[in-house]
């Protein structure tokens, strides 16, 4: 009886082990699928296009993926067939003839056909992103990459150029020409949901045309390794209606920002501290002209600090001033050990008021 029980229990143990392995495999596949699908969405996903240029790029991506998958399956099938096929004796002349066919077909004709098809799709897409002449000149926005932050300029503002940092506001539903360059090393301007990236090279202005279908918020990232702070070089991009865009620019005219910065007597000590410790590097309209660090004229209205490192909220600027080398070790602002905590707190409170 015991021997028979052992014989009956053996298949049951194998069945349980098989079920466990199947369950483990299913769990692994579920996790992998979840992670894979999660990468198809988000404010930096090329697979979630929000503009005509981005849709063209995604179309090419899917075509290349499909073609590459077909080639992979075909090559794998031929590889397996070669292993399973029985040995066939051929003469040297037959071997040379077969080799020539593979060289001509797989080494020349297939690559030429593949590259020609890719160019047929890719060249028109790239052309549509070029700033070619239009019946009405599009909006121009200048973006300059620094280690490790973004300078954004609006030269077309009616009452003079508007300058901001680490945020980019653009009109939705119309093409926008971005003129990009680098201030120190090579960076790359890339808004994945709006289109392709373009290098930002010191001493050279590159141009790319992008368009957002409708108002939305997008994530952008420097796409060229530019030093130790590269991973913390994010850019907040928001597309808004044309009326809202014009109002946003009007609020940031120099005279209005100047009045905002200098007219409040409550913050006079903070302004004096700023002029002593910060003005040589940072610009605040009406007070200073520093160009080493980000422009702070409308700092209180931004969504984050440190190019996306810290969310903007009450007390965030004071926290940044006290801990910026911990929050973003790569930033070039010196420590503030020589400044009293009360002074930094008043300085942060004043900078928070710089909201048009």
């Amino acid at each position: 009886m015991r021997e028979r029980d052992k014989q009956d229990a053996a298949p049951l143990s194998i069945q349980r082990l098989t079920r466990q392995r199947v369950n483990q495999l299913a769990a692994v596949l579920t996790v992998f699928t979840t992670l894979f699908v999660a990468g198809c969405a988000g404010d930096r996903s090329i697979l979630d296009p929000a503009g005509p240029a981005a849709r063209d790029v995604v179309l090419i991506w899917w075509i290349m993926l499909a073609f590459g998958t077909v080639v992979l399956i075909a090559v794998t099938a031929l590889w397996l067939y070669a292993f399973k096929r029985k040995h066939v004796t051929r003469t040297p002349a037959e071997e040379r003839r077969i080799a020539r066919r593979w060289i001509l077909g797989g080494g020349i004709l297939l690559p030429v056909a593949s590259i020609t098809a890719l160019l047929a799709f890719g060249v028109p897409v790239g052309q549509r992103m070029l700033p070619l002449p239009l019946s009405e000149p599009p909006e121009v926005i200048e973006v300059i990459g620094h280690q490790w932050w973004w300078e954004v300029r609006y030269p077309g503002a009616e009452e003079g150029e508007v300058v901001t940092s680490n945020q980019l506001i653009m009109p939705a539903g119309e093409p926008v020409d971005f003129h990009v360059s680098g201030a120190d090393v090579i960076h790359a301007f890339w808004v994945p949901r709006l289109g392709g990236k373009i290098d930002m090279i010191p001493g050279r202005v590159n141009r790319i045309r992008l368009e957002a279908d409708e108002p939305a918020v997008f994530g952008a990232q420097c796409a060229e390794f530019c030093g130790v702070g590269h991973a913390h070089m994010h850019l907040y991009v928001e597309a808004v209606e044309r009326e809202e865009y014009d109002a946003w620019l009007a609020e940031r005219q120099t005279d209005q920002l100047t009045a905002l910065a200098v007219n409040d007597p409550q913050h006079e000590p903070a302004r004096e501290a700023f002029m002593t410790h910060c003005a040589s590097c940072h610009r605040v309209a009406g007070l200073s002209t520093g160009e080493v660090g980000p422009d702070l004229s409308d700092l209180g209205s931004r969504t984050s600090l440190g190019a996306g490192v810290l969310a903007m909220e009450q007390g965030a600027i004071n926290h940044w001033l006290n801990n910026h080398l911990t929050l973003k070790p790569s930033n070039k602002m010196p420590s503030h050990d020589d400044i009293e905590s009360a002074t930094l707190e008043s300085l942060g409170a004043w900078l928070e008021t710089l909201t048009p």
Side-chain angles (χ1 to χ4, degrees):
M1 289 294 295
R2 293 181 179 177
E3 188 66 29
R4 183 179 299 174
D5 291 342
K6 291 180 180 179
Q7 292 176 357
D8 293 340
L12 294 176
S13 299
I14 294 175
Q15 290 177 2
R16 283 196 295 269
L17 182 60
T18 302
R19 282 197 299 269
Q20 290 176 356
R21 290 180 176 176
V22 169
N23 291 336
Q24 291 174 354
L25 179 61
V28 171
L29 290 176
T30 300
V31 172
F32 176 79
T33 303
T34 301
L35 293 175
F36 180 79
V37 173
C40 298
D43 63 358
R44 291 180 176 84
S45 174
I46 65 168
L47 299 181
D48 187 17
R55 281 193 293 275
D56 289 340
V57 171
V58 170
L59 175 62
I60 292 179
W61 187 89
W62 282 114
I63 291 173
M64 293 177 63
L65 177 64
F67 184 79
T69 301
V70 171
V71 171
L72 175 63
I73 293 173
V75 171
T76 303
L78 290 173
W79 177 67
L80 294 174
Y81 173 75
F83 272 103
K84 293 184 176 181
R85 186 182 180 187
K86 295 181 180 180
H87 178 71
V88 178
T89 302
R90 299 189 183 91
T91 64
E94 291 174 331
E95 292 286 355
R96 286 193 294 272
R97 184 171 63 254
I98 293 174
R100 283 196 296 269
R101 290 175 181 174
W102 279 107
I103 291 173
L104 292 174
I108 298 178
L109 295 180
L110 180 60
V112 169
S114 302
I115 294 174
T116 301
L118 180 61
L119 290 175
F121 283 99
V123 170
V125 171
Q127 186 178 27
R128 283 193 289 272
M129 286 189 282
L130 292 175
L132 301 175
L134 298 175
S135 57
E136 294 185 7
E139 187 75 20
V140 173
I141 300 177
E142 299 175 356
V143 185
I144 304 169
H146 296 257
Q147 290 180 309
W148 288 271
W149 58 280
W150 305 85
E151 178 183 354
V152 184
R153 294 179 172 271
Y154 298 83
E158 291 185 0
E159 298 181 22
E161 185 177 55
V162 169
V163 183
T164 186
S165 300
N166 298 324
Q167 67 172 354
L168 193 159
I169 310 299
M170 60 181 288
E174 61 182 82
V176 177
D177 285 356
F178 293 95
H179 296 186
V180 305
S181 62
D184 33 46
V185 299
I186 297 178
H187 302 273
F189 177 70
W190 187 34
V191 188
R193 293 189 62 202
L194 295 185
K197 74 180 185 70
I198 189 168
D199 285 344
M200 311 172 79
I201 302 173
R204 177 183 176 89
V205 177
N206 287 334
R207 296 169 175 82
I208 187 171
R209 177 170 293 161
L210 302 176
E211 180 178 344
D213 291 332
E214 57 187 11
V217 175
F218 311 104
Q221 170 73 47
C222 177
E224 186 78 27
F225 181 72
C226 53
V228 295
H230 167 71
H232 292 135
M233 191 172 170
H234 302 290
L235 177 63
Y236 174 86
V237 179
E238 182 176 2
V240 298
E241 297 289 356
R242 165 54 75 166
E243 295 77 11
E244 186 177 348
Y245 174 75
D246 291 337
W248 185 88
L249 285 180
E251 290 174 344
R252 283 159 178 78
Q253 299 302 320
T254 301
D255 55 348
Q256 296 199 38
L257 291 177
T258 299
L260 178 71
V262 304
N263 287 347
D264 188 352
Q266 175 186 354
H267 295 290
E268 185 60 32
R271 284 193 290 271
E272 292 179 359
F274 175 85
M275 295 303 296
T276 301
H277 301 285
C278 314
S280 60
C281 293
H282 295 281
R283 174 182 178 267
V284 168
L287 285 181
S288 62
T289 58
E291 296 182 350
V292 177
D295 189 297
L296 306 180
S297 300
D298 64 342
L299 180 61
S301 66
R302 299 175 193 171
T303 60
S304 66
L305 296 169
V309 171
L310 183 65
M312 178 66 78
E313 56 188 8
Q314 186 174 0
I317 298 178
N318 181 46
H319 180 56
W320 168 263
L321 293 175
N322 283 280
N323 303 281
H324 63 92
L325 291 177
T326 301
L327 295 168
K328 188 173 182 177
S330 58
N331 89 88
K332 298 181 179 181
M333 190 161 63
S335 63
H336 298 138
D337 296 340
D338 58 329
I339 306 176
E340 295 182 358
S341 297
T343 302
L344 289 178
E345 185 175 356
S346 66
L347 185 57
W350 169 64
L351 290 172
E352 286 183 4
T353 67
L354 301 185
T355 305

